[in-house]
Amino acid sequence: MQKITIVICNYNHGRFLADAIDSSLSQDYPETGVLVIDDGSTDGSREIVESYAGRIRALYKENGGQVSAYNDAVNMIDTEFVILLDSDDLLYKGAVSEVMQAFEAGDSVKVQFRLDVVDSAGKPSGKYVPHSVAPVDCGRLLRRGWLYPSPPASGNAYRTSALKKIFPVPEASSNRYGADFYAIYGVALLGAIAMIPKSLGAYRVHRTENTGIDFANSDSIDKAPRALTKRWSILRQLARSRLGIELPPSFHDFSLEKAYFCSAVYRASFAKRWRWVSRQSHGYLRSIVANPFWSYKKKIGMLALSSLCLLPYSPLSDFAVRYISNPLARRRL
């Protein structure tokens, strides 16, 4: 039986950390180890980790950001398989067993699975991520610049040997976060991706009461485009220097184009909405019409929904924008 490590990267999430550790220790796959990387927490997280002495491994480091924590984690992992679990998320009891079955069924470099979206108290929202199924050969489309549908960090399991070809990632003040971006998309350049079409864990969202256009725990609507563009640039450099793969200068991603679209038309005047669509909507429309991961039905539905954002009746238009941008607001709207 092959071994797997669940790595929990934590920074000041002490109020959730015990749940993440307990969910990892309760896995029904016998050869499961747990490693906690504490990135200089100041909220008492260290005491929580120390209470599990003898049951888990731990590294206490100075605060350096998520990229730094991932670099240390990948360097420390001594098993061929790993799940990188965020400290405010958790895994269901049979998650590791299902992941290992998927790895054993083929030569995948990554196995991904859905995550149920819960609020800060752990209450289910009725939503899950991701909504689309990624093809096995994500790398082929990635080489053309298409970011494939993936769950957040905690919904991914990797072959460590593949991760070690991507990490360490350069650490800089402008690149402290988003380490899962490099793992999720970098590894896809190295082999097949397997998808388990069921929820095997929970993704905790801390802003479920916000009914605006921001979504979950992601970067702000203004910051997200800049952050993703920076990460793509770094991934291109890593792919070129370490893998001999040349990625295109720009990438295609509905989430990013959605951020541009929603920030431009939300609560904007009727004239401003149409001006943006007539002059700047090419990328947004391309991310829908040419999206290789969506069915025709989904594309038509999204185009129809987007058209509602351009109606002169602003309450309905803004409703449509919120519906597109923030899935967590849908059950209330």
Side-chain angles (χ1 to χ4, degrees), residues 118-141:
V118 302
D119 65 15
S120 59
K123 180 181 178 181
S125 69
K127 307 297 180 183
Y128 61 81
V129 286
H131 302 287
S132 302
V133 177
V136 173
D137 185 15
C138 295
R140 176 179 57 84
L141 292 168

Side-chain angles (χ1 to χ4, degrees), residues 137-198:
D137 185 15
C138 295
R140 176 179 57 84
L141 292 168
L142 190 61
R143 288 179 176 85
R144 291 164 44 194
W146 284 97
L147 302 187
Y148 66 90
S150 173
S154 303
N156 299 278
Y158 305 91
R159 287 188 183 269
T160 306
S161 55
L163 279 178
K164 288 182 181 292
K165 294 180 180 179
I166 305 299
F167 288 83
V169 170
E171 299 176 26
S173 59
S174 61
N175 190 47
R176 288 171 56 88
Y177 307 104
D180 52 328
F181 179 92
Y182 305 107
I184 289 168
Y185 298 111
V187 165
L189 296 170
L190 298 168
I193 305 298
M195 174 71 185
I196 299 176
K198 63 187 292 188

